[in-house]
Amino acid sequence: MIFAAGLGTRLKPLTDTMPKALVNVGGQTLLQRTIKKLEEAGVGRIVINVHHFSEQIENYLKANDNFGLDIAVSNESAGLLETGGGIKKARSLFSTEGNILIHNVDILSNVDLRKFYAQHTQCDALLLVSKRTTKRYFLFDDEMRLVGWTNVETGEVKSPHPHLDPARCQMYAFSGIHSFSPSLFDAMDTFPERFGIVDFYLQMCSRYDIRGVVKDDLKLLDVGKLDTLERLPEPQAGHSHLSDEEILMSL
């Protein structure tokens, strides 16, 4: 599943007239880059949720014949459902036979998605994390099982475990890439129509096996900010676009 329903407010004024997913980066739209990355990982069916300028995304997919893939659209035009609500709404579009690889549309990385997906075997959800410096971290126990979350700047802690001490946990930053087992859908029944997937994981981590896997050499670029977009290189003459690797290496 590709999360492409966001308003893209950090990319204004570009997103005043188009969805973030169709912003051009190095000669390709963010959506095309994500679709191609998933295809290279062996994905044959993709679900894309849409909201902001949803018709533009749907017309773009039609114009490109879905890039030769089986692509289903989960339309949230009636109301933005956030990441957790987006997965819940799209439930009927997924196969129940395999885990769901989830990828934000505005992320470029050096992640081998096929390898990451293959690591999701026994647990209910697998989160790709790293030692990247940020304000917000997932908290894991010694077996890399999710136990909470913290904001190191404010000291806020979220966890179903009373009196959890972040200092006694392993702290890692989330990449926006994760694998979700259909076994978790029933747990979403008690959640409202609109909710975030991170909040869901944090509330459910004491009841379900939600784990992290660390990528030590992670290179990650969040293209959701205008200043980041302005720093990105353009393709040289004779080249239609830059690869994700070329963009990551240029920064």
Side-chain angles (χ1 to χ4, degrees):
M1 182 174 188
I2 300 174
F3 285 150
L7 299 176
T9 53
R10 296 178 299 165
L11 284 176
K12 283 180 172 288
L14 288 176
T15 48
D16 287 336
T17 56
M18 69 167 65
K20 176 172 58 176
L22 297 188
V23 169
N24 189 290
V25 174
Q28 288 184 324
T29 65
L30 286 169
L31 184 58
Q32 182 179 2
R33 287 184 176 277
T34 310
I35 289 172
K36 289 301 181 183
K37 191 171 181 68
L38 290 171
E39 182 183 22
E40 290 168 1
V43 174
R45 177 172 176 79
I46 299 173
V47 175
I48 303 173
N49 70 335
V50 297
H51 170 79
H52 186 55
F53 293 113
S54 59
E55 286 187 2
Q56 288 189 31
I57 295 179
E58 292 185 272
N59 291 337
Y60 175 75
L61 291 169
K62 290 177 183 177
N64 288 279
D65 195 26
N66 284 345
F67 295 94
L69 299 174
D70 179 6
I71 294 180
V73 171
S74 180
N75 197 307
E76 298 177 20
S77 295
L80 192 60
L81 301 178
E82 297 187 32
T83 49
I87 296 173
K88 181 180 179 179
K89 182 180 187 300
R91 178 176 183 171
S92 64
L93 301 176
F94 298 114
S95 165
T96 58
E97 298 177 359
N99 297 321
I100 302 163
L101 179 61
I102 300 173
H103 200 296
N104 290 353
V105 77
D106 56 1
I107 286 176
L108 303 185
S109 76
N110 64 339
V111 177
D112 183 334
L113 293 178
R114 186 188 295 269
K115 179 180 178 181
F116 167 70
Y117 185 78
Q119 291 175 281
H120 187 184
T121 53
Q122 302 300 318
C123 60
D124 294 301
L126 189 66
L127 319 177
L128 185 70
V129 297
S130 72
K131 277 292 188 182
R132 179 170 52 92
T133 301
T134 183
K135 299 175 184 177
R136 303 170 184 85
Y137 292 93
F138 276 138
L139 302 173
F140 299 90
D141 64 17
D142 291 340
E143 296 181 346
M144 284 303 292
R145 183 164 180 167
L146 182 67
V147 292
W149 172 96
T150 187
N151 183 321
V152 295
E153 192 172 82
T154 64
E156 180 185 7
V157 176
K158 295 181 180 179
S159 172
H161 305 283
H163 314 299
L164 181 73
D165 182 2
R168 300 177 65 86
C169 301
Q170 300 190 67
M171 300 171 56
Y172 291 100
F174 184 38
S175 67
I177 299 171
H178 42 130
S179 185
F180 177 97
S181 169
S183 64
L184 289 172
F185 275 124
D186 288 345
M188 287 183 163
D189 289 342
T190 59
F191 279 70
E193 185 180 36
R194 177 176 179 173
F195 62 96
I197 191 62
V198 168
D199 289 333
F200 172 80
Y201 286 151
L202 291 172
Q203 291 186 47
M204 293 292 110
C205 65
S206 62
R207 295 170 48 192
Y208 291 88
D209 191 357
I210 300 171
R211 295 180 184 259
V213 60
V214 182
K215 181 170 176 59
D216 292 320
D217 62 340
L218 178 66
K219 291 182 180 179
L220 183 77
L221 179 63
D222 178 355
V223 196
K225 299 179 181 178
L226 194 60
D227 59 343
T228 301
L229 191 63
E230 291 170 344
R231 291 190 288 114
L232 300 183
E234 292 295 328
Q236 298 298 313
H239 296 274
S240 61
H241 68 275
L242 296 172
S243 68
D244 288 5
E245 291 74 17
E246 288 172 321
I247 292 174
L248 291 168
M249 289 177 62
S250 72
L251 300 176

